[in-house]
């Protein structure tokens, strides 16, 4: 495209993150129904982050009606299933994209969400560090289009203990098709097999309870 355009200005429209990445993000205009922005309106460090970000997920945030950001594939599977429980459809069927991002990148995506007034929910562990978590998102908590969802109990720092807390050992064993005799052995197994266990919860026909902080995020 660059070689053949000569002196002409070329405008390319696309819904493809792949095309956006390959054509150069420095010239991208971000359009939603009500807003238009450029990456130059972001803070320099956030703009540079997206210019360097590899892969094809760079601007999924602007291509969906709503986004839910999660920390890993196991969280994504649980959120997908939780969304289906509430809405009787998978997220993408409702224009919602569940995006797995590095925990350090959450704020970068939220900067774009604020710029475009895009609704975004963050589902995150509390890691038993509530003060640090609140400080991390202090610039976003209370914004009308951003919701930070986490459980405030530091005794349950990650997804696996959260699932056990609301479901109990019997239900967990039933879903995972296991016979663990105590909570510790179950959690040790889940920690070593995060994605496999999350897939069991995603696929099972057996009833289980969604943790409240995840239910809030998918509502």
């Amino acid at each position: 495209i660059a070689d053949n355009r000569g002196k002409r200005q070329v405008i390319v429209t696309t819904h493809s993150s792949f095309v956006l990445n390959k054509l150069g993000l420095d010239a991208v205009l971000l359009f939603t129904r009500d807003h238009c922005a450029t990456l130059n309106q972001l803070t320099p460090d956030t703009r540079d982050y997206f210019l360097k970000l590899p892969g094809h997920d760079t601007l999924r945030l602007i291509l969906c009606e709503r986004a839910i950001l999660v920390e890993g594939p196991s969280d994504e599977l649980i959120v997908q299933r939780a969304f289906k429980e509430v809405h009787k459809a998978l997220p993408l069927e409702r224009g919602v994209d569940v995006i797995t991002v590095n925990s350090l990148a959450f704020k970068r995506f939220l900067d774009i969400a604020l710029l475009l007034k895009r609704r975004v929910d963050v589902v995150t562990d509390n890691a038993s560090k509530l003060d640090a978590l609140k400080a991390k998102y202090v610039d976003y908590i209370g914004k009308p289009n951003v919701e930070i969802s986490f459980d405030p109990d530091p005794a349950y720092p990650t997804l696996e203990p959260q699932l056990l807390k609301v479901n109990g050992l019997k239900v967990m064993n039933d879903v995972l098709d296991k016979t663990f005799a105590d909570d510790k052995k179950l959690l040790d197994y889940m920690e070593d097999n995060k994605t496999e266990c999350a897939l069991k919860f995603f696929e099972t026909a057996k009833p289980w309870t969604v943790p409240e902080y995840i239910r809030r995020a998918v509502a």
Side-chain angles (χ1 to χ4, degrees), residues 5-115:
R5 71 183 178 89
K7 296 182 178 180
R8 293 169 294 179
Q9 181 184 32
V10 175
I11 298 175
V12 178
T13 64
T14 181
H15 281 176
S16 168
S17 293
F18 178 84
V19 173
L20 291 177
N21 283 5
K22 295 304 179 185
L23 290 185
L25 297 179
D26 55 326
V28 168
L29 295 173
L30 313 178
F31 281 99
T32 66
R33 223 173 259 254
D34 304 312
H35 299 91
C36 173
T38 73
L39 289 184
N40 290 329
Q41 292 174 259
L42 297 169
T43 60
D45 60 330
T46 295
R47 175 183 175 276
D48 289 345
Y49 174 85
F50 280 104
L51 290 176
K52 297 172 184 176
L53 189 66
H56 304 147
D57 297 338
T58 310
L59 293 179
R60 284 168 59 184
L61 188 63
I62 72 168
L63 304 179
C64 60
E65 296 179 19
R66 173 191 169 196
I68 302 174
L69 306 182
V70 298
E71 293 183 310
S74 55
D75 303 270
E76 179 179 349
L77 286 166
I78 297 298
V79 167
Q80 294 263 6
R81 176 59 186 267
F83 189 97
K84 187 175 182 179
E85 290 291 314
V86 172
H87 300 280
K88 310 307 178 188
L90 289 172
L92 283 179
E93 296 172 326
R94 294 290 186 267
V96 179
D97 200 351
V98 183
I99 306 173
T100 300
V101 299
N102 183 293
S103 61
L104 297 176
F106 275 113
K107 296 198 294 182
R108 311 295 191 184
F109 281 85
L110 291 178
D111 285 342
I112 284 186
L114 294 180
L115 189 65

Side-chain angles (χ1 to χ4, degrees), residues 169-182 185-186 189-190 193 196-197 200 206:
L169 184 61
K170 183 181 184 305
V171 171
M172 299 291 285
N173 274 330
D174 286 345
V175 171
L176 297 175
D177 194 25
K178 297 294 180 181
T179 56
F180 292 107
D182 58 64
K185 290 180 180 178
L186 171 72
Y189 172 80
M190 293 186 73
N193 302 274
E196 179 183 342
C197 290
K200 289 278 191 181
K206 299 173 182 177

